């Protein structure tokens, strides 16, 4: 059994930040002794801020998540009581009754299972894949019958026998007798049509630090200005950094997060789009002293953070009641009602706060959201906001007035980054021209070329103007053209397609897959949120996503489709896309396919210009 993957390793279990309880030690011994070595054991895994007691993973058998409660049901009276939204868990001590619904293990494991399925194993089958995950509850010091009677009202009534197979509830009887089959009925499974090594890999990256490529293992390289910002804090703890695309804003944020994590600080990194997590995670890991320090960093986007805050307060029903089918009501809930509910939850005395909260792409946040997040920071902690108003793709940057900034805790000037280290020189020139031509003069922050550097970064810049009805054909042809040009110098997996909306993206990837058998990893479709969590640049397929979702990322091989550019946000989105090109001494390629008449003349300034009719010819 010594060759089993256990995380943290056996030698480190006595050094855990949160020591194992007696019950957790007993459960671990059961799993370690009786599970086959194909099952990996993760104790108190980070799981991006959620903290289940155990996660078990078998690439061929499935996934299991367990919540362990050391409760002695004889120490005080435990009972259920009707609540506003159904039964609630209560206790009585010394004649005083009090709610312990926020400690109820059934909602906890249900949340763990749902988020493993929704966010961290996005390639599991949409419906059937639910059965690949066991969510169990264990009371090592309570009689099994008593535990089941206490918790039975929180389980689903229909198909109870089948349901209990995937949500077992057990107690001291099974632990003391070593009855693994009762504790974990699916433990004997050696094969599954639902579970694969790819699914295990998706989840494993959130359970332990993955083995990054040599590039990702390279320490972060910062210039003098970036290093100064990353290694210091202001007297107040509040800092705001602005800079154009490619100037290293995310790099500074990641380096600061790594430094704080190395010091043992609890760091919350907040973004607006989910896909940015993967990029920031890769950067932060490169700045850590040791992989286990990654446990100190949690990633979230604002609305997911609000959801978790409400759950921690036991306000799941209040959260669910915010939503309506009216799109306008949904927007109001996201922008105002949900933040207000989260703000009330944060005010609870036992809310766990962070040593530092770092917000990337801050121009996408409303000042109200920032002010709610501030209340989750410990007194004397740090708050960092990095932003680029030029990439105002949601129309929120204008909310950050001078008065709003003062109300957000900031004083003095912005810290400024100016030099772009991402863009090849010729692409940088075109991006500056685009911003000067189409974006509001009072909002643009233009990238500057690195002084004294030689042009060692060749790039090909191509523009194809076409009609909307030929766009999918043109885009697929341009992608195939890139595949032919890259040869042995670049892999096809480096090609990334960015589209202005999901509809046009679906058209292109469908054509690629059905007509040319060129498969993609993409974020299009009704399950796009799940797909975003499965969007990794390390995937062997061609990448395809929206311009919104790729903001903050970078790639050497880009094909961008612009369906329209009639208003300020769509123009800012085009600018954001143009600045995603990553320079390389091996060369970079950017092709823009546009059916926006407003951009036709700008497109003619590209070194390689073609009209749609010529581009359709393969």
């Amino acid at each position: 059994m010594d060759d089993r993957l256990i995380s943290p390793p056996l030698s480190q279990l006595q050094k855990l930040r949160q020591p194992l309880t007696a019950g957790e030690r007993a459960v671990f011994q059961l799993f370690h002794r009786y599970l086959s070595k194909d099952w990996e054991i993760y104790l108190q895994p980070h799981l991006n801020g959620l903290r289940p007691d155990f996660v078990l993973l078998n690439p061929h058998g499935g996934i299991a998540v367990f919540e362990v409660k050391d409760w002695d049901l004889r120490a005080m009276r435990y009972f259920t009581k009707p609540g506003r939204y159904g039964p609630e868990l209560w206790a009585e001590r010394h004649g005083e009754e009090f709610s312990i619904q926020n400690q109820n293990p059934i909602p906890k494991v249900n949340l763990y299972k749902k988020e493993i399925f929704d966010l961290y194993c996005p390639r599991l089958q949409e419906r059937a894949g639910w059965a690949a995950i066991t969510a169990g509850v264990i009371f090592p010091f309570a009689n099994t019958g008593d535990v089941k009677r206490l918790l039975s009202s929180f389980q689903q009534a229909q198909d109870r026998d089948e349901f209990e197979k995937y949500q077992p509830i057990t107690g001291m009887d099974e632990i003391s007798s070593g009855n693994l089959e009762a504790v974990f009925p699916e433990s004997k499974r050696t094969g599954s049509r639902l579970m694969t090594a790819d699914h295990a890999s998706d989840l494993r990256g959130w359970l332990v630090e993955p083995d990054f490529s040599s590039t990702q293992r390279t320490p972060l390289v910062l210039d003098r200005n970036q290093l100064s910002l990353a290694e210091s804090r202001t007297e107040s703890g509040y800092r705001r950094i602005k800079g154009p695309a490619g100037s290293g804003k995310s790099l500074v944020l990641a380096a600061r997060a790594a430094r704080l994590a190395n010091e043992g600080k609890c760091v919350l990194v907040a973004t607006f789009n989910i896909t940015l997590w993967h990029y920031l995670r890769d950067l932060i890991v490169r700045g850590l002293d040791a992989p286990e320090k990654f446990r100190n960093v949690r990633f979230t986007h604002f609305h997911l953070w609000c959801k978790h805050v409400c759950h921690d307060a036991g306000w799941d029903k209040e959260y669910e009641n915010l939503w309506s089918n009216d799109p306008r009501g949904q927007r109001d809930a996201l922008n105002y009602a949900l933040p207000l509910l989260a703000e009330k939850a944060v005010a609870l005395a036992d809310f766990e706060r962070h040593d530092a909260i770092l917000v990337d792409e801050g121009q996408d946040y409303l000042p109200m959201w920032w002010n709610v997040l501030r209340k989750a920071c410990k007194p004397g902690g740090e708050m960092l906001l990095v932003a680029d108003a030029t990439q105002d793709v949601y129309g929120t940057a204008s909310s950050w007035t001078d008065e709003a900034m003062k109300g957000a805790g900031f004083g003095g000037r912005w810290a400024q980054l100016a030099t772009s280290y991402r863009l090849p020189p010729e692409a940088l020139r075109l991006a500056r021209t685009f911003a000067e031509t189409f974006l509001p003069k009072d909002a643009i922050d233009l990238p500057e070329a690195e002084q004294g550097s030689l042009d060692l970064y060749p790039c090909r810049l191509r523009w194809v103007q076409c009609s909307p009805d030929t766009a999918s054909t043109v885009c697929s042809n341009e992608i195939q053209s890139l595949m032919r040009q890259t040869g042995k110098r670049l892999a096809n997996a480096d090609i990334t397609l960015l589209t202005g909306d999901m509809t046009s993206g679906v058209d292109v990837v469908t054509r690629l897959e059905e007509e040319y058998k060129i498969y993609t990893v993409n974020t299009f479709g009704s399950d796009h949120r799940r797909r975003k969590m499965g969007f990794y640049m390390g995937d062997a397929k061609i990448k395809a996503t929206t311009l919104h979702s790729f903001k903050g990322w970078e790639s050497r091989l880009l094909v961008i489709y612009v369906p329209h550019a009639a208003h300020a946000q769509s123009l800012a989105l085009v600018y954001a896309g143009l600045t995603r090109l990553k320079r390389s001494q091996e060369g970079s390629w950017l092709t823009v396919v546009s059916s926006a008449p407003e951009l036709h003349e700008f497109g003619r300034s590209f070194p390689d210009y073609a009209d749609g009719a010529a581009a359709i010819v393969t």
Side-chain angles (χ1 to χ4, degrees), residues 121-266:
C121 286
R123 290 187 281 183
L124 279 174
Q125 293 180 31
E126 179 67 23
R127 295 183 180 178
W130 189 253
I133 308 170
T134 292
V137 174
I138 306 172
F139 281 61
F141 303 117
N143 178 274
T144 303
D146 294 340
V147 176
K148 289 187 174 182
R149 281 189 290 272
L150 177 65
L151 300 180
S152 62
S153 58
F154 302 105
Q155 288 186 292
Q156 295 180 7
Q158 67 273 23
D159 302 323
R160 184 172 297 277
D161 291 342
E162 182 67 17
F163 183 75
E164 289 184 347
K165 178 180 178 182
Y166 299 108
Q167 189 175 68
I169 296 176
T170 51
M172 68 168 66
D173 313 63
E174 291 79 12
I175 298 300
S176 59
S177 65
N179 189 351
L180 176 66
E181 188 171 354
V183 173
F184 182 18
E186 292 287 278
S187 60
K188 302 301 182 184
R189 185 178 292 279
T190 57
S192 170
R193 62 183 178 82
L194 301 173
M195 190 68 188
T196 68
D198 285 340
H199 300 144
S201 180
D202 287 342
L203 180 58
R204 193 180 289 115
W206 291 104
L207 298 174
V208 294
E209 186 60 31
D211 184 19
F212 292 106
S213 66
S214 58
T215 299
Q216 291 167 325
R217 289 195 299 268
T218 303
L220 297 175
V221 178
L222 292 80
D223 68 20
R224 182 179 301 176
N225 188 21
Q226 293 167 343
L227 188 62
S228 174
L229 294 172
E231 294 192 345
S232 66
R233 61 167 281 165
T234 63
E235 184 176 349
S236 68
Y238 280 68
R239 172 170 276 157
R240 49 180 172 161
I241 303 173
K242 68 176 180 178
S247 59
K249 300 183 300 298
S250 296
L251 183 66
V252 170
L253 182 147
R256 187 61 187 162
R259 182 179 179 89
L260 292 168
N262 287 335
E263 295 172 358
K265 301 290 180 61
C266 175

Side-chain angles (χ1 to χ4, degrees), residues 31 93 117 149 170 209 277 307 519 528 551:
F31 289 153
R93 179 191 289 141
F117 179 75
R149 281 189 290 272
T170 51
E209 186 60 31
W277 295 0
K307 177 182 177 181
Y519 297 102
H528 60 276
K551 194 157 65 68

Side-chain angles (χ1 to χ4, degrees), residues 491-567:
N492 291 338
D494 288 321
I495 298 173
T496 303
L497 168 70
L498 306 179
T499 64
D501 54 55
M502 286 199 292
T503 301
S504 55
V506 169
D507 291 343
V508 178
V509 300
T510 299
R511 181 179 179 84
L512 285 172
E513 294 181 2
E514 292 185 355
E515 296 193 25
Y516 303 108
K517 307 303 180 186
I518 299 172
Y519 297 102
T520 67
V521 53
N522 67 77
T523 63
F524 307 130
S526 59
D527 59 343
H528 60 276
R529 287 181 60 83
R530 287 173 51 75
R531 289 172 176 261
K532 287 178 182 178
M533 290 306 300
F535 187 83
Y536 293 89
M537 291 303 288
D539 194 290
K541 303 183 188 71
I542 288 173
K543 317 302 184 300
T545 187
T546 63
L547 285 160
H548 286 94
S549 293
F550 206 69
K551 194 157 65 68
W553 289 64
E554 57 189 16
S555 178
R556 292 171 58 190
L557 292 175
L558 287 177
V559 175
I560 300 175
Y561 173 54
V562 182
H564 49 72
H567 54 79

Side-chain angles (χ1 to χ4, degrees), residues 71-81 88-101 103 150:
W71 298 355
D72 179 356
L73 297 186
R74 300 167 298 179
M76 59 182 178
R77 187 168 74 96
Y78 293 86
F79 61 100
T80 58
K81 193 173 183 179
E88 294 182 355
L89 193 59
W90 283 66
E92 179 188 3
R93 179 191 289 141
H94 306 311
E96 179 184 355
E97 295 183 354
F98 49 94
S99 174
I100 54 172
Q101 179 61 19
Q103 301 177 51
L150 177 65

